[in-house]
Amino acid sequence: MYKPKDSSLSPRFCGVRTFMRLEQVKTTENVDFVVMGVPFDTAASNRTGQRSAPQHIRNFSVLLKPYNPDVDINIFDHCSGVDYGDVDVIPGNIHRTYDKMVSEIYPILEKGIIPIIMGGDHSISLGNLRAFYKAYGPIALVHFDSHGDTWDNYYGEKYMHGTPFRRAVEEGLIDVEHSIQVGMRGSLYSPADLQDARDLGFEVITMKEIRQIGMNEVLERIHRRVEDKKVFVSYDIDFVDPAFAPGTGTPEVGGPTSFEALEYVRGLKGLDTVGFDLVEVLPSYDPGEITAALASSIIFEMITQVAVKKEAEISAVLERNLPR
């Protein structure tokens, strides 16, 4: 069983930085989840530096503790996890980077382990989805973002951080009838920028609609859309209002608070989530590590969901084995 160092016995400033002070071990034995980084930012269209995000998030995450009071669960009573390190990306070559991602992530999925992946810009999600398709076939997508990332191209380039989900649909990686995008807002070039995602088959809930119907209804719509399908969750930090997450490349005002950002992850309880990425954290625009604090907490909530799922699976097995 792998679990974090106890910071009541070992000061947080001691040792090599890993996520939540987990052991840095590249193993698929005796683990339920792995945290890993994909420090690639060559496909960003505005500010760059997302390659430094995995370590930036790790640096702050040493403050995290194993018990989640909002869910009332001690994570490591129910599951085991490690910091798997980073994929050795190829700066400037997105296609070779995608190949490396698939070769690193697929063996993890083969063992039924849940990878929790820190970007990097949002282009990495296409590499993630290729690995998941290889393991599971087309998969449902829950996408939290202020942008749909379904453009056809940037500057004539097909593989950028604003195009991964169009490419994923074209490649047949996503079960689009069970996929949903949440949080879209901000200025656009034309109505087609938002309509494109719907034309591809996604359900889309804009931020304005979220404020009209409320978070509970949004979460119900997510669950209705996904049903019992295996799901990959992609979380762009710019989903959150820049007042709470300033460290990102393309911020959009009018988004959720940090509390709401965490509640959306908690609200995924009951979905068959098999993977997660958090992308677009930009350390150079993150005063006081505000964004790192939120990003590490979002990942903590996702790890919590792994523990909740594991606890439910064990309880179901025990119940089936009870004498009738």
Side-chain angles (χ1 to χ4, degrees):
M1 172 72 77
Y2 293 99
K3 59 184 180 180
K5 281 187 176 180
D6 185 341
S7 293
S8 67
L9 302 175
S10 169
R12 293 184 175 90
F13 51 80
C14 291
V16 176
R17 285 291 195 262
T18 63
F19 189 85
M20 204 178 167
R21 306 194 77 195
L22 289 164
E23 292 190 52
Q24 206 275 291
V25 185
K26 209 158 197 171
T27 182
T28 56
E29 300 300 322
N30 302 314
V31 293
D32 301 295
F33 72 89
V34 301
V35 180
M36 61 194 301
V38 183
F40 184 85
D41 63 1
T42 310
S45 62
N46 187 32
R47 303 168 177 171
T48 59
Q50 295 89 337
R51 67 183 63 185
S52 300
Q55 202 54 45
H56 184 61
I57 297 168
R58 287 180 175 111
N59 285 341
F60 195 89
S61 74
V62 299
L63 289 174
L64 295 168
K65 305 174 185 70
Y67 175 68
N68 187 329
D70 294 293
V71 184
D72 188 23
I73 194 169
N74 189 312
I75 292 171
F76 298 94
D77 285 349
H78 304 282
C79 63
S80 170
V82 298
D83 188 321
Y84 202 76
D86 291 345
V87 174
D88 291 326
V89 303
I90 311 296
N93 193 317
I94 197 167
H95 298 292
R96 287 181 61 200
T97 295
Y98 285 155
D99 291 343
K100 280 184 161 285
M101 290 175 65
V102 173
S103 67
E104 287 265 12
I105 297 169
Y106 177 66
I108 295 167
L109 299 175
E110 274 192 305
K111 294 292 187 75
I113 298 165
I114 296 176
I116 297 172
I117 301 160
M118 302 178 288
D121 68 52
H122 218 153
S123 68
I124 72 161
S125 292
L126 182 58
N128 295 334
L129 288 166
R130 286 178 179 175
F132 279 84
Y133 176 80
K134 187 175 179 181
Y136 299 119
I139 194 167
L141 174 73
V142 174
H143 174 205
F144 296 104
D145 204 328
S146 62
H147 312 100
D149 294 346
T150 53
W151 279 19
D152 182 57
N153 69 83
Y154 267 81
Y155 325 118
E157 293 294 324
K158 295 282 191 177
Y159 297 88
M160 295 287 287
H161 72 160
T163 66
F165 300 116
R166 178 178 287 272
R167 299 288 90 82
V169 172
E170 291 171 350
E171 294 180 24
L173 311 179
I174 295 174
D175 181 355
V176 74
E177 292 182 359
H178 294 279
S179 297
I180 188 167
Q181 297 185 316
V182 179
M184 285 68 239
R185 63 187 187 275
S187 57
L188 302 168
Y189 289 108
S190 75
D193 290 350
L194 192 58
Q195 186 59 36
D196 281 351
R198 294 188 172 108
D199 291 343
L200 288 168
F202 291 104
E203 181 175 349
V204 177
I205 308 178
T206 65
M207 195 65 223
K208 185 173 182 179
E209 187 178 359
I210 288 172
R211 291 306 185 201
Q212 291 169 342
I213 66 176
M215 182 189 296
N216 289 338
E217 175 61 24
V218 172
L219 289 169
E220 286 180 17
R221 284 173 63 175
I222 290 172
H223 282 261
R224 287 200 301 268
R225 183 71 172 180
V226 173
E227 295 180 341
D228 60 352
K229 306 300 181 184
K230 293 187 183 302
V231 62
F232 180 82
V233 179
S234 188
Y235 203 118
D236 189 322
I237 200 67
D238 72 30
F239 169 67
V240 187
D241 192 280
F244 304 93
T248 190
T250 49
E252 298 285 358
V253 300
T257 67
S258 55
F259 174 78
E260 291 168 334
L262 301 176
E263 284 290 289
Y264 276 109
V265 181
R266 294 169 189 150
L268 301 178
K269 179 182 177 181
L271 295 182
D272 188 9
T273 304
V274 292
F276 178 87
D277 69 21
L278 184 139
V279 298
E280 297 288 355
V281 170
L282 185 52
S284 59
Y285 285 82
D286 190 23
E289 299 179 289
I290 297 169
T291 315
L294 179 57
S296 61
S297 294
I298 291 168
I299 293 171
F300 174 74
E301 292 296 338
M302 193 61 241
I303 294 172
T304 299
Q305 292 304 309
V306 178
V308 168
K309 182 179 179 182
K310 192 75 175 178
E311 181 186 34
E313 289 171 353
I314 292 170
S315 296
V317 169
L318 292 175
E319 187 175 340
R320 284 198 301 269
N321 292 332
L322 285 174
R324 300 296 179 185

